[in-house]
């Protein structure tokens, strides 16, 4: 009996054929085996669950856009352009902030197309002598968060504490909330306005406040929390602190982070500490850890994500 298939099914078949047409015989065979295997069912379930969490995070990002200025920097924030390191050439003329938690790559392209965002700046007015702007993000992107929680860190984080140092608008906290089973998720954030935004989202999405918490403080005053953390996520703080303050923070982390705990960085520890002239003292402090959910790598385009680093404290 001929059963007419839906448009969705024919579209999916057409997309699959597009992919399969580029494979050789051996690759095709491997695909056939995978689709018939239990692993395929597991991968599919995993992908579906990630997509569900992703949808919540997309909604949260849209909600936050309505709470902050378009540039996503608050009036009360003190942004310091770094004096050392790979961002030392950034300044007010050549650099713009585009928050990657709030706007993904596709949304940025839309903004450029609509003329709300420029990719270039003019070196002398009215001329075509233009130069590309440097875009920085103070937040991790939603894809980076998936990679941290679904590929880098261990799958089971029950009874574990995830700490985000400088939690800003809360992207990392919300990623941890929806992508992991961590029992406790804490963000420590210096800026009060940013803390208020995080609290608003927690209330709006009725998150379990015994599981997720925001602390409005300088992390330097919260050694007790840092000591208890099992996973500590530190996004580059160099746009927020002077070189001297930055150095102080790393001495503080070295003193307080527990042996065996995980540290996630968005620069290698060498690239972070060499510009501060302090790498030699820290050379034996951390060990590189391999990703602990490598089986999930197929769920992401990992080529874009090499700038995330997982370490354990020695
Ligand atoms: C680059 S953002 C990181 C945002 C978020 N953790 C992420 O990765 O998406 C750094 C944040 O750290 C905060 N910050 C800087 N120094 C701090 C300190 N000493 N204690 C707590 N927060 C701090 C800043 O206010 C800023 O919101």
């Amino acid at each position: 009996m001929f059963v007419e298939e839906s448009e969705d099914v024919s579209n999916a078949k057409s997309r699959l054929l597009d992919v399969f047409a580029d494979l050789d015989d051996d690759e095709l065979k491997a695909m056939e085996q995978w689709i018939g295997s239990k692993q395929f069912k597991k991968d599919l379930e995993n992908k579906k669950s990630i997509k569900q969490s992703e949808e919540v995070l997309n909604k949260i990002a849209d909600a936050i856009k309505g709470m902050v200025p378009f540039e996503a920097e608050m009036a009360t924030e003190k942004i310091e352009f770094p004096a050392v390191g790979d961002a030392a050439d950034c300044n007010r003329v050549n650099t713009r902030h585009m928050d990657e938690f709030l706007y993904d790559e596709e949304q940025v392209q839309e903004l450029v197309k609509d003329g709300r965002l420029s990719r270039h700046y003019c070196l002398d007015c009215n001329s075509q002598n233009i130069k590309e702007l440097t875009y920085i993000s103070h937040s991790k992107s939603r894809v980076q968060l998936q990679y941290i929680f679904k590929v880098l860190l261990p799958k089971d984080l029950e009874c574990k504490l995830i700490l985000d140092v400088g939690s800003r608008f809360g992207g990392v906290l919300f990623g941890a909330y929806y992508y992991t089973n961590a029992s406790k998720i804490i963000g420590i954030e210096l800026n009060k306005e940013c803390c208020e935004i995080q609290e608003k989202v927690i209330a709006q999405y009725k998150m379990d406040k015994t599981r997720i918490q925001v602390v409005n403080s300088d992390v330097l005053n919260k050694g007790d929390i840092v000591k208890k953390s099992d996973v500590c996520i530190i996004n580059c703080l160099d746009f927020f602190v002077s070189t001297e303050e930055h150095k102080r923070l790393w001495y503080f982390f070295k003193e307080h982070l527990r042996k065996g705990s995980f540290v996630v960085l968005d620069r290698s520890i060498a690239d972070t500490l060499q510009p501060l002239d302090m790498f030699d003292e820290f050379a034996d402090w951390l060990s590189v850890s391999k990703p602990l959910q490598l089986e999930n790598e197929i769920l992401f385009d990992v080529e874009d994500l090499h700038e995330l680093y997982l370490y354990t404290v020695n």
Side-chain angles (χ1 to χ4, degrees), residues 77 101 137-141 145 164-172 188-191 194 215 217-220 233-241 249 266:
E77 284 192 286
F101 178 72
S137 172
H138 297 321
S139 298
K140 290 199 174 60
S141 69
L145 296 176
D164 184 29
V165 175
S167 50
R168 196 168 180 78
F169 300 150
V172 171
I188 302 178
E189 171 55 58
L190 198 56
N191 182 282
C194 288
V215 179
S217 167
D218 187 327
V219 68
L220 293 173
I233 300 177
I234 310 172
N235 188 344
C236 58
L237 295 164
D238 43 3
F239 276 85
F240 296 89
V241 291
L249 280 164
D266 49 6

Side-chain angles (χ1 to χ4, degrees), residues 153 160-161 226-232 253 256-264 285-287 289 310-314:
L153 287 169
K160 305 287 185 209
L161 162 58
V226 177
K227 265 188 190 154
K228 279 192 285 186
S229 69
D230 299 288
V231 175
C232 183
F253 293 138
H256 290 85
L257 280 169
R258 226 168 18 82
K259 195 173 167 200
S261 60
F262 289 103
V263 179
V264 180
W285 176 45
L286 301 178
S287 291
S289 169
L310 177 66
Y311 294 97
T312 49
V313 177
N314 292 324

Side-chain angles (χ1 to χ4, degrees), residues 121-142:
Y121 67 101
C122 179
L123 292 174
D124 35 78
C125 268
N126 293 332
S127 84
Q128 289 176 14
N129 188 14
I130 53 173
K131 207 168 173 195
E132 217 165 297
L133 282 163
T134 300
Y135 273 94
I136 53 158
S137 172
H138 297 321
S139 298
K140 290 199 174 60
S141 69
R142 283 167 261 156

